[in-house]
Amino acid sequence: MQTEIVTETHHQAVELRVRDLLLNALTVSSGAVDAISFLALGKVFSAFMTGNIAFLGLRVAGAPAPGLVSIVVSMAAFAVGVYLSTLIVKRSKDSTGWPQRVTFALGLSLIAHAAFLAIWFASNGQPEIAVAHVLLGIWGIAMGMQSAAVRTLHVEGVFTTAATATIIFLVEYSTNWSATVEERRRLAGVLVSLFVGATAAGLLLFHAPIYAPLLPFVITTAAVATAAVVLRERNTSNELKLVESA
C-alpha cells in the first residue's frame, strides 16, 4: 500500500511538471503569434485582447490607432474561438489534471494554424490588407480556442495568452509568501515564455520572415502531441482505477 502511495505521488508530480511545460510551450506560441500579428498584420494582436480594446478606444477617440477593421476582426475571431473551445471542453467531467477534451480543443486550433501557414506562404509572407484581415481572423480563432481550453485547467494566474494577471499573482505571492516555490516558478516561467516567444518571432521576422509563423505552429503541435501521448496515459490509468473501485 505504501509503495502504491509513493508511486501515485510520483506520477502526480510528473504530471504537474509535464502540464507546466506544456503551459510554457503554449505561452511561447502565443507570444510569437502576437509579435507576428503586431509587426506584420496591422499593429494589432491576435491573443492580447486588452491591447486591442485599448486600440479600439483610441480609434473611437480619433487618436492614432490601428485600423478599425483589423481590431474588430481580431476581437470577433477571438470570441468565436473561445465559444467553440468552450463547447468542447465544458462537456468534460474531469475537473482535475489535463482532460482529454483540452487536448482535443488545442488539436482543433492547429487547423487554424495550418490555414494561416497556407495563406502566409501563398502571399510570400507579405499579405495585402484584405488578406491580413483574414489571417488575423484565423489566428484570433486559434488563440481564443487556446485561451478557453487552458482556462478549464484552473491553474491560478496562468492564461498563456495574457500576462497581466500572471504578474499580479506573482508579485502578490512574492509579497506575502503565500505560495510555494513551485507556484512562483510556474508563474515566472509563463512570463519568461511569453518574452521568449515574442523575441524569437521578432528575430525570425527580421531574418527569415517567410518562416516566422512556423514557430507557433510547431510549438503548439509539439504541445498537443505531448499531451495526447503522455497525459492520455495518465487519464487512462485514472479511468481504470475508477472502474476497478466501482
Side-chain angles (χ1 to χ4, degrees), residues 226-245:
T226 301
V229 175
V230 178
L231 297 181
R232 182 180 183 280
E233 294 178 355
R234 173 67 176 170
N235 289 332
T236 302
S237 176
N238 289 337
E239 290 173 1
L240 291 174
K241 289 180 181 179
L242 289 174
V243 172
E244 292 174 356
S245 61

Side-chain angles (χ1 to χ4, degrees), residues 1-221:
M1 175 65 77
Q2 186 174 1
T3 301
E4 292 179 357
I5 294 176
V6 172
T7 302
E8 179 67 17
T9 301
H10 174 71
H11 286 166
Q12 290 176 349
V14 171
E15 181 182 9
L16 288 177
R17 284 197 292 271
V18 172
R19 182 202 65 185
D20 289 350
L21 287 174
L22 293 180
L23 291 175
N24 287 339
L26 292 172
T27 305
V28 171
S29 177
S30 67
V33 164
D34 264 346
I36 296 170
S37 297
F38 187 82
L39 294 174
L41 300 178
K43 305 299 182 182
V44 298
F45 300 108
S46 292
F48 183 53
M49 290 299 109
T50 302
N52 286 342
I53 292 174
F55 290 151
L56 183 61
L58 291 174
R59 190 75 185 180
V60 171
L68 180 61
V69 175
S70 297
I71 299 171
V72 173
V73 165
S74 183
M75 293 177 62
F78 186 89
V80 169
V82 171
Y83 178 80
L84 293 175
S85 188
T86 300
L87 289 178
I88 297 170
V89 297
K90 76 175 183 179
R91 298 172 185 168
S92 175
K93 296 180 180 179
D94 184 5
S95 60
T96 61
W98 185 292
Q100 292 183 30
R101 286 190 177 273
V102 170
T103 304
F104 181 64
L106 293 172
L108 286 181
S109 76
L110 286 173
I111 297 175
H113 280 284
F116 185 102
L117 283 174
I119 297 174
W120 178 266
F121 284 130
S123 61
N124 199 32
Q126 296 178 331
E128 298 179 355
I129 295 178
V131 177
H133 291 159
V134 173
L135 293 176
L136 282 171
I138 291 173
W139 254 356
I141 291 174
M143 291 297 96
M145 294 190 72
Q146 177 178 311
S147 297
V150 169
R151 182 177 178 276
T152 62
L153 299 176
H154 304 293
V155 182
E156 194 171 44
V158 176
F159 296 93
T160 74
T161 54
T164 304
T166 305
I167 293 174
I168 293 173
F169 276 94
L170 180 59
V171 174
E172 181 182 285
Y173 287 159
S174 300
T175 300
N176 54 33
W177 297 100
S178 59
T180 64
V181 173
E182 188 64 29
E183 288 172 322
R184 292 195 294 274
R185 183 182 296 120
R186 178 184 306 121
L187 295 175
V190 168
L191 297 178
V192 171
S193 297
L194 192 64
F195 172 82
V196 168
T199 302
L203 290 172
L204 281 173
L205 275 176
F206 183 75
H207 295 288
I210 190 65
Y211 300 112
L214 280 172
L215 176 62
F217 175 74
V218 170
I219 291 176
T220 303
T221 300

